[in-house]
Amino acid sequence: MFDRCHSRETAGAALAGRVALVVDDEPMILEILSEFCASLGMKVYEAPDGEGALRRVETNPEIEVLVTDIRMPGLDGPGLVNLALGLRPEIKVIFVTGYATYRSAAWPTLRKPFDLDELEDAVRRALLQQGPAPE
């Protein structure tokens, strides 16, 4: 039988000390995603918009994975990702969205509402993957 506690401990060990930037213009979603990543042992930066997130990428080179909403006022998720990758080509990306029509060819896209286990799995896979975006 699948042992969820053992799985969480194993994932936590793999993600402990890793660094994420979580970006969402909905304060409740931002808080939930950030707290969840922190519960996995990750260091987490937050930004409520694309412009703030880009400043975080510029000033915090330790950020390894960017978890971003797609639709945000101002600089949206895809625009943020393009600029962030221009600064830091090695950064990994996970999109989250409430819009069923958006799909990234290069990065995982989680549809809201999603189970937090899906986020954990996507972060783990992104951080363990070598090289640029998956094919």
Side-chain angles (χ1 to χ4, degrees):
M1 179 164 204
F2 184 70
D3 183 351
R4 183 66 190 123
C5 292
H6 175 69
S7 174
R8 175 67 51 139
E9 289 169 12
T10 302
L15 297 176
R18 304 306 291 262
V19 184
L21 171 58
V22 178
V23 188
D24 202 300
D25 61 323
E26 295 179 49
M28 183 189 293
I29 301 295
L30 180 62
E31 181 179 351
I32 290 168
L33 298 180
S34 296
E35 286 181 4
F36 180 74
C37 289
S39 79
L40 298 174
M42 300 182 76
K43 178 177 181 180
V44 181
Y45 292 98
E46 296 181 357
D49 56 44
E51 290 84 2
L54 189 58
R55 285 191 297 278
R56 287 281 195 187
V57 170
E58 291 170 336
T59 59
N60 298 283
E62 70 273 21
I63 293 170
E64 300 173 87
V65 62
L66 174 60
V67 179
T68 183
D69 192 10
I70 290 174
R71 291 267 186 120
M72 297 180 289
L75 182 59
D76 66 4
L80 166 62
V81 167
N82 287 336
L83 293 171
L85 289 172
L87 295 169
R88 304 258 318 287
E90 73 282 1
I91 205 165
K92 307 302 183 192
V93 176
I94 299 165
F95 284 118
V96 296
T97 186
Y99 296 88
T101 57
Y102 184 85
R103 185 153 198 63
S104 170
W107 300 106
T109 304
L110 302 178
R111 307 245 182 275
K112 296 176 189 174
F114 53 84
D115 188 285
L116 290 173
D117 289 341
E118 293 177 65
L119 176 61
E120 177 183 339
D121 184 55
V123 169
R124 188 180 336 96
R125 284 186 297 153
L127 289 173
L128 296 178
Q129 144 199 337
Q130 299 298 314
E135 295 298 321

